[in-house]
Amino acid sequence: MKAFTIPDNIYLLGMPGSGKSTLGMELSEHLKIEFYDLDQYIENHAGKGITQIFIEDGEDGFRVIENHCLQRVSEQPYPKVIATGGGTPCFHHNIDYINNNGVGIFLDVPLKIIADRLIQQGTDRRPLLRDKTPKELLAQLQDHFFQRKDYYLKVLIHLEGPSISMNDIIEELKAI
Ligand code: S3P
């Protein structure tokens, strides 16, 4: 493999179910660096699950904790891969923070594929997508994507397709 400098923060962005955590873990193992799932970090930090945070603090409260945790995790002084939450880039200027503190990668997977994956995976940590019929789920994803895509598109790397692989990410990282 051609060598390249690994940035301190490699952020994976995209809709819920776009593969941020799975690819993030694979990538971190391959590069032999740390992996953080921001949702998991938030739950550890808050001492309660994402759904409970939404119930007790509302989405606004969740977004404040999310912003805080994004910064705390990013400040660790070693290279790492961070899987962000689907809404992370769209609140509290997080997208600017991401672009100023590392390399962002947008995993742009077709929404129909995402909807099928979410039906399989369930929506435990995804209160915004809970208790929906498949048709309602797809409509909610379309609505969110419409609001979010301009934020996602602000990052350096945009990978698009139904089956983005770790090697696709490595090739892009080598190219920048
Ligand atoms: C959210 C996505 C979730 C989680 C929270 C809010 C969103 O993360 O952060 O439920 O706003 O789309 P995933 O993208 O990992 O599902």
Side-chain angles (χ1 to χ4, degrees), residues 14-18 20-21 37 39 42 50 54 59 62-63 66 83-88 91 118 125-129 144 148 152:
M15 294 290 285
S18 57
K20 303 179 296 271
S21 301
D37 179 322
D39 287 336
I42 290 169
I50 301 277
F54 269 76
E59 180 174 355
F62 172 76
R63 297 302 175 192
E66 181 179 53
T84 63
T88 310
F91 296 87
L118 291 177
R125 273 193 185 149
R126 296 166 173 144
L128 297 175
L129 299 174
H144 275 164
R148 294 174 174 182
Y152 294 150

Side-chain angles (χ1 to χ4, degrees), residues 66-131:
E66 181 179 53
N67 169 259
H68 173 82
C69 287
L70 174 70
Q71 300 195 13
R72 288 299 82 76
V73 74
S74 302
E75 283 163 1
Q76 309 300 316
Y78 45 77
K80 56 207 162 297
V81 179
I82 302 170
T84 63
T88 310
C90 318
F91 296 87
H92 297 284
H93 304 287
N94 289 337
I95 189 64
D96 298 326
Y97 185 87
I98 287 170
N99 282 331
N100 288 331
N101 288 278
V103 174
I105 303 170
F106 169 27
L107 305 177
D108 191 358
V109 175
L111 295 182
K112 181 69 185 76
I113 289 181
I114 287 188
D116 291 343
R117 281 186 197 165
L118 291 177
I119 289 165
Q120 298 290 320
Q121 290 176 11
T123 50
D124 270 4
R125 273 193 185 149
R126 296 166 173 144
L128 297 175
L129 299 174
R130 252 196 160 148
D131 300 328

